[in-house]
Amino acid sequence: MIFPNEKEKIIEVLGKQWSRKILPYLKSKKVKNAKGQFYSSKSIENIMNAKADNYDVEKNIIEFYINVLDLNLI
């Protein structure tokens, strides 16, 4: 679960349209849902808002956040 304080930090770094930045990263890592499809923005929003749990997606979101901080990509 991504906690509210983590979500705030992620949005602070990635900006308001954070899902548009996260989705390409998830696609590059070939992270797919149970149906074998790439995640939608809505699915990512549900995971970030703790309406759905998905360890693999959450782990990759945090990994992307850390990479952005380290590389100052955005």
Side-chain angles (χ1 to χ4, degrees):
M1 169 189 265
I2 294 178
F3 295 100
N5 62 327
E6 294 170 326
K7 178 185 170 188
E8 288 176 23
K9 290 179 182 180
I10 292 168
I11 293 172
E12 185 179 303
V13 171
L14 299 181
K16 289 185 178 182
Q17 296 182 341
W18 47 266
S19 67
R20 289 185 182 185
K21 296 170 184 154
I22 292 171
L23 283 172
Y25 182 79
L26 293 177
K27 286 181 181 180
S28 75
K29 294 289 191 170
K30 297 186 179 17
V31 178
K32 297 182 180 180
N33 63 21
K35 295 180 182 178
Q37 301 173 336
F38 290 111
Y39 284 90
S40 66
S41 291
K42 185 64 177 169
S43 296
I44 301 304
E45 288 174 23
N46 287 339
I47 292 167
M48 282 279 286
N49 291 324
K51 293 181 181 177
D53 284 332
N54 186 310
Y55 175 77
D56 195 32
V57 172
E58 294 165 8
K59 177 183 70 104
N60 277 284
I61 290 172
I62 298 297
E63 184 179 281
F64 177 64
Y65 167 76
I66 291 169
N67 287 340
V68 170
L69 284 177
D70 287 347
L71 300 175
N72 199 15
L73 294 175
I74 298 176

